[in-house]
Amino acid sequence: MPSPAPTGPSRPPVGVIVDGYSVGKYLPAAFRKLGADVVHLQSTPAFLDSVPPPDLRPYLANVVQDTADPGRTAARLASYAPCGVLPGQETGVPPADRMAELLDLPGNPSATSAVRRDKYRMIEALRAAGIRCADQLKSDDAGEVLAWAAATGYPVVVKPLSSASTDKVSVCRGPHQVRAAVAEILGSHDIFGRHNTEVLVQSFLAGTEYIVDVVRGPGGGRRVCGVWRYEKTLIGSRPVYDRDVLLDPDAPQVAPLVAYLDTVLDALDIRFGAAHAEIMLTADGPVLVEVGARLDGLMDPGHHDSCLDGNQADLLALVCVRPEEFARRYPGNTLYGKHREGMVVHVQTTRGGVVEAVDEDALARISALGTVHLAVPRLAPGDRMRPTTDLLSSPLRVFLTGDSREELLADHRRIRLMAEDVFRLAPG
C-alpha cells in the first residue's frame, strides 16, 4: 500500500510519473525544484525486464496500476491530490492519458492514445487530416510486404509498430533485405517487452532528419525546447546515428519544421505535456518519421541547460505544477534561446564480446576534453557489447558544448579515436 499522503496547509503539490524509466528519471528532480513531490505509477504488475528499473527513492510511493479496474488506481492516486499525470517513457503514455482523465487533470484524450503509440495509426491519423506523410502498410505476412515494396519502389523502411531508439529499423533496398527485416521483427519483442506480431513498412523519405522537442501548456501555448539535426551513417541496411547537432532558432529549417509539427500535434491530440518529434525535411517539405508524447529520450537536462535557455524536463514540471507561470513566461507559441553550440555523439563500435571492465582513465581522458559536458558509458562489466547497428548498441554517449562548431567537431574526431579504449572485453 502507498504511504499516506501528507496533510495540512503546507502540503506540497504532487505529480504522478507513469513508468519513470529511461529519461523519466529526470522528472523527480524537476518537480523538487518547484517544491513539489512525486508519486510513481507502475503500469505493469512487475517492472519491465528489457530496461533498467526506475529508481523509486525520490518518490513518495509506488502505486501498481490495477489494469482490471482503472478507477481503483485513480482513487489511490487521488489521495495525493495530484496536480498532473505524466508519462516517463513510451509505455506510460496510454495509462497517463487515462489517469489524467479519471482525475480530471490536464492531459491528452485516452480515446486517441493509440495514435500516439502505434506508428501505423499515427501516420494514418495524419493522412486523414490531410497532412503530408509517408505511404505505408502493416502486415504479418512477408509476401504481402514484399509485394507492397515492389509496387511502391525501393528503398523502403521496415520497423516494429511500437518501439523506440531505432530498434530493428531497416532501410531495405531489395527483396532479400525486406525478407531479413521482416523475419527479424516477427516473433521478437520490442525494447519495452511487447510481442511483435506485425511489421510496419513505409516509403523511404529522402532528406535530412531533425529532432523537434516541445512542451504544450493546458491553454494550448507551445514552447519549442530545441531543434537538432541528426547526422547518420548507413551500416548495412541500418541508419545509425552518429551525432545530433543543435540548430540556431533562426536557422532556415526551424520555421517550416515547427509549423509542420504544430499541425501534427493537433492531428494526434497532443494537447498537453511534452512531445519529441523526428521529422524528415524532404524536397517536398517536412514529413513526420514519428513523434512520442513524452520527453526526448536522449535529453540530459544539465547539457541542455548549458547550451539552451532551459530543458524539457523542467518545462514539463513547470507546466504541471505552475501552469499559470508557464503561460506567463511563454505566452502563445515561442521558440528556445541558444547560448552555445551543442552536440551529442553516439559512439559506434565494430567489436563484440562481454565487457570485462570500463577503463576509468580512458573515460576520464574523454571527459577532460574542452567541450565535453558528460560522457556516459552505456555498458557495464558483464554486459555484452555488439557491433553498432542502432542507438541501443551504441556503447558510449558523449554530450558536448562549446563556443564554436569547429571546437565540437574537433573533439568529436578525438572521441572517435579514444572511445575504443573505454571498454575492455573478456578474452575469447
Side-chain angles (χ1 to χ4, degrees), residues 7 25 41 271 315 380 418-419:
T7 58
K25 67 186 178 185
L41 176 59
R271 305 174 185 177
L315 283 176
M418 301 164 69

Side-chain angles (χ1 to χ4, degrees), residues 41-43 45 63-78 95 98-99 102-103:
L41 176 59
Q42 181 180 318
S43 74
V63 176
V64 180
Q65 179 178 235
D66 186 336
T67 55
D69 186 357
R72 183 179 177 189
T73 304
R76 294 179 68 186
L77 294 175
R98 183 65 174 138
M99 287 301 113
L102 290 171
L103 293 165

Side-chain angles (χ1 to χ4, degrees), residues 245-310:
V245 179
L246 178 63
L247 269 61
D248 294 328
D250 58 357
Q253 305 95 323
V254 170
L257 288 166
V258 170
Y260 174 82
L261 179 59
D262 283 339
T263 67
V264 168
L265 297 177
D266 289 341
L268 301 180
D269 271 339
I270 301 178
R271 305 174 185 177
F272 173 81
H276 165 66
E278 296 171 347
I279 303 172
M280 194 72 73
L281 193 54
T282 73
D284 296 324
V287 183
L288 184 72
V289 176
E290 58 190 67
V291 60
R294 40 77 180 172
L295 295 172
D296 179 346
L298 300 180
M299 180 200 64
D300 174 80
H303 178 242
H304 280 206
D305 286 343
S306 70
C307 53
L308 293 159
D309 59 352

Side-chain angles (χ1 to χ4, degrees), residues 26-312:
Y26 297 122
L27 287 172
F31 274 80
R32 282 199 301 272
K33 288 181 186 177
L34 301 174
D37 288 325
V38 283
V39 168
H40 187 263
L41 176 59
Q42 181 180 318
S43 74
T44 52
F47 285 130
L48 299 174
D49 58 11
S50 53
V51 287
D55 179 3
L56 296 179
R57 288 174 296 179
Y59 294 95
L60 290 176
N62 181 47
V63 176
V64 180
Q65 179 178 235
D66 186 336
T67 55
D69 186 357
R72 183 179 177 189
T73 304
R76 294 179 68 186
L77 294 175
S79 68
Y80 293 93
C83 59
V85 185
L86 304 172
Q89 68 164 21
E90 279 290 316
T91 57
V93 170
D97 292 344
R98 183 65 174 138
M99 287 301 113
E101 214 164 57
L102 290 171
L103 293 165
D104 196 25
L105 294 169
N108 301 316
S110 63
T112 55
S113 290
V115 304
R116 295 184 288 279
R117 280 286 289 126
D118 184 298
K119 296 175 185 180
Y120 177 82
R121 296 189 187 187
M122 182 180 293
I123 300 305
E124 290 307 301
L126 300 193
R127 198 181 320 283
I131 297 170
R132 187 187 304 109
C133 57
D135 295 327
Q136 62 176 6
L137 169 80
K138 68 171 179 174
S139 177
D140 61 359
D141 181 81
E144 185 180 21
V145 173
L146 284 163
W148 185 92
T152 301
Y154 289 99
V156 297
V157 179
V158 179
K159 57 185 174 183
L161 284 175
S162 300
S163 193
S165 299
T166 65
D167 172 40
K168 299 181 181 68
V169 176
S170 296
V171 177
C172 301
R173 302 184 182 278
H176 64 289
Q177 291 184 331
V178 170
R179 287 192 196 93
V182 171
E184 180 187 25
I185 294 171
L186 288 180
S188 69
H189 291 79
D190 66 24
I191 63 172
F192 304 121
R194 173 175 167 168
H195 189 228
N196 290 314
T197 58
E198 294 179 296
V199 301
L200 177 61
V201 56
Q202 295 178 325
S203 55
F204 178 75
L205 302 174
T208 303
E209 190 175 355
Y210 295 86
I211 300 166
V212 187
D213 293 333
V214 303
V215 171
R216 251 187 170 178
R222 180 264 297 144
R223 175 71 172 177
V224 175
C225 309
V227 178
W228 303 70
R229 182 178 67 250
Y230 277 140
E231 298 186 358
K232 296 179 280 188
T233 55
L234 198 64
I235 298 179
S237 63
R238 295 285 172 80
V240 178
Y241 295 97
D242 179 33
R243 60 192 178 205
D244 313 337
V245 179
L246 178 63
L247 269 61
D248 294 328
D250 58 357
Q253 305 95 323
V254 170
L257 288 166
V258 170
Y260 174 82
L261 179 59
D262 283 339
T263 67
V264 168
L265 297 177
D266 289 341
L268 301 180
D269 271 339
I270 301 178
R271 305 174 185 177
F272 173 81
H276 165 66
E278 296 171 347
I279 303 172
M280 194 72 73
L281 193 54
T282 73
D284 296 324
V287 183
L288 184 72
V289 176
E290 58 190 67
V291 60
R294 40 77 180 172
L295 295 172
D296 179 346
L298 300 180
M299 180 200 64
D300 174 80
H303 178 242
H304 280 206
D305 286 343
S306 70
C307 53
L308 293 159
D309 59 352
N311 70 78
Q312 197 182 23

Side-chain angles (χ1 to χ4, degrees), residues 351 354-359 381 385 420-427:
R351 297 193 298 160
V354 176
V355 176
E356 185 176 67
V358 175
D359 190 320
M385 177 184 285
E420 293 289 11
D421 295 334
V422 172
F423 299 95
R424 185 166 68 247
L425 301 185

